[in-house]
Amino acid sequence: MAMLDDVLGAAGPGAENRTWALRRRRRGKLGMSIGRFATAALICAGAALMMSGAADAKASRASRASKASAPPALDAQAVNAAELSAPSGKAGKGRAPAPSAAAIIKAEILLDRAGFSPGQIDGKSGTNDQKAITAFQEGNGIKPSGSLDPQTWERLTATSSDPMLVEYEIQPGDVKGPFNKTIPPSLEKKAELKTLNYTDPRELLAEKFHIEPGLLTRLNPKASFETAGTKIMVPNVAKKPSEAKVAKVVVDKSQRTVRALDGGGKLISFYPASVGSEEHPTYHYTPKLKFKGVKTQKPFTVAAGPKNPVGSMWIDLGDGYGIHGTPDPSKISKTESHGCVRLTNWDAQALGKMVHKGIKVDFIN
């Protein structure tokens, strides 16, 4: 720096002043640059903070929206404590909100226990629920609507104070098998199998407790259904043996329902059903039956089992007709049977325990 000063000092008269002026100008420009940089930095920092704040606010709103849209917890506590939402508007005269999944499950379990089967417990308000609710309303002096109104809910929840979901420990017999890896859809392919069992323990457990397999998983998201000793939550569908005696069974083909009545015409139990045409469901198939989709012209026999076309229960009505179970409970009352009357396996078993030889069976359209 000294050498530079010396050179500048020797440059001639006024060089120092010019040099000082130059230095001041340079310093001034540098000062101005620093000022601009500092201002720009502050602006950028402020913008960054604003953007950060906006991002945080957006994330917070998204989080709240996600929590709001997320389905409520579905567990034993939610189902056992479920209540019907009150109607909106003044004096509760508005339209009532749709029942929650927990409330629907609670109603389905109560209907099942009271003898008004909703078919498969699935937590969805469908036609089988509506039919069961209508039958319950008719049997309890309530104007039938097929809807869970406050009066129906009050009467239904008064039928039992037992918990809706209970703990069950998976037993060795539940997982022992044998199980079929798959069940082919055609009767000819079914006839090639030695057994027609469940495909896995979850399917067995679902049928044991009258529940849709997917809902069983939802209620027990971390459970291993293949392991004996595992504790899971299941619908409490245990029923007290009915002392009522069935005198007549009425099959309604148009409504796809089955009703069991006592000697006085009082409704004892109700079931959704698939009612078929004049075809005969049987373990033994002959070409003269002409089932849709069956191409072979040779008779064959289909092995027994819960996945047999007639399920695990057969109530003989004579001449090859019967009331029987099903390999697919989710389709009950939604599709036609190959013939006669098809119920869920558990409903067919329940009806089978109440009827005896000689009971009158009426078919109405």
Side-chain angles (χ1 to χ4, degrees), residues 10-277:
E16 291 183 6
N17 292 336
R18 289 195 298 274
T19 301
W20 177 245
L22 178 64
R23 286 174 178 169
R24 282 190 299 172
R25 285 197 297 274
R26 285 177 178 172
R27 286 172 182 167
K29 287 181 180 179
L30 182 60
M32 289 173 63
S33 298
I34 292 172
R36 290 196 193 100
F37 177 79
T39 303
L42 287 171
I43 292 172
C44 288
L49 287 171
M50 291 174 64
M51 291 174 66
S52 175
D56 289 344
K58 185 177 180 181
S60 178
R61 287 195 299 271
S63 177
R64 289 197 298 270
S66 176
K67 290 179 181 178
S69 61
L74 194 59
D75 53 22
Q77 182 178 358
V79 174
N80 289 333
E83 291 293 341
L84 197 66
S85 299
S88 58
K90 293 182 179 179
K93 294 183 178 180
R95 187 174 182 179
S100 65
I104 294 172
I105 293 170
K106 184 173 183 175
E108 289 177 330
I109 294 172
L110 287 168
L111 286 165
D112 186 297
R113 290 208 300 239
F116 299 86
S117 174
Q120 195 175 54
I121 296 167
D122 59 7
K124 301 173 184 177
S125 183
T127 56
N128 285 349
D129 280 12
Q130 293 168 8
K131 292 175 183 179
I133 291 169
T134 298
F136 178 83
Q137 290 168 332
E138 291 173 345
N140 285 272
I142 302 171
K143 183 179 179 180
S145 65
S147 299
L148 272 178
D149 54 56
Q151 185 183 10
T152 303
W153 180 263
E154 182 180 2
R155 189 72 59 83
L156 184 59
T157 53
T159 60
S160 174
S161 58
D162 294 336
M164 304 300 111
L165 296 177
V166 292
E167 185 177 81
Y168 173 77
E169 183 175 324
I170 297 177
Q171 301 298 304
D174 296 328
V175 300
K176 182 180 179 180
F179 298 104
N180 287 75
K181 290 184 178 180
T182 58
I183 301 293
S186 73
L187 280 177
E188 294 101 320
K189 291 294 183 181
K190 284 184 173 73
E192 296 175 5
L193 301 178
K194 293 181 179 180
T195 60
L196 284 168
N197 295 318
Y198 301 107
T199 55
D200 55 38
R202 185 185 74 153
E203 191 174 45
L204 179 151
L205 290 164
E207 182 145 316
K208 178 180 282 190
F209 296 104
H210 311 178
I211 187 173
E212 192 269 325
L215 180 56
L216 181 62
T217 297
R218 187 179 174 190
L219 292 170
N220 301 278
K222 297 180 180 180
S224 172
F225 299 107
E226 292 77 22
T227 306
T230 300
K231 293 180 180 179
I232 59 175
M233 300 306 296
V234 299
N236 182 11
V237 290
K239 302 175 186 175
K240 296 179 180 179
S242 175
E243 296 180 0
K245 294 183 178 180
V246 176
K248 182 169 69 172
V249 173
V250 178
V251 179
D252 191 322
K253 296 179 68 175
S254 62
Q255 293 298 315
R256 295 183 176 181
T257 62
V258 172
R259 297 168 185 262
L261 310 175
D262 66 13
K266 183 180 178 181
L267 181 63
I268 297 174
S269 58
F270 167 91
Y271 311 101
S274 292
V275 183
S277 61

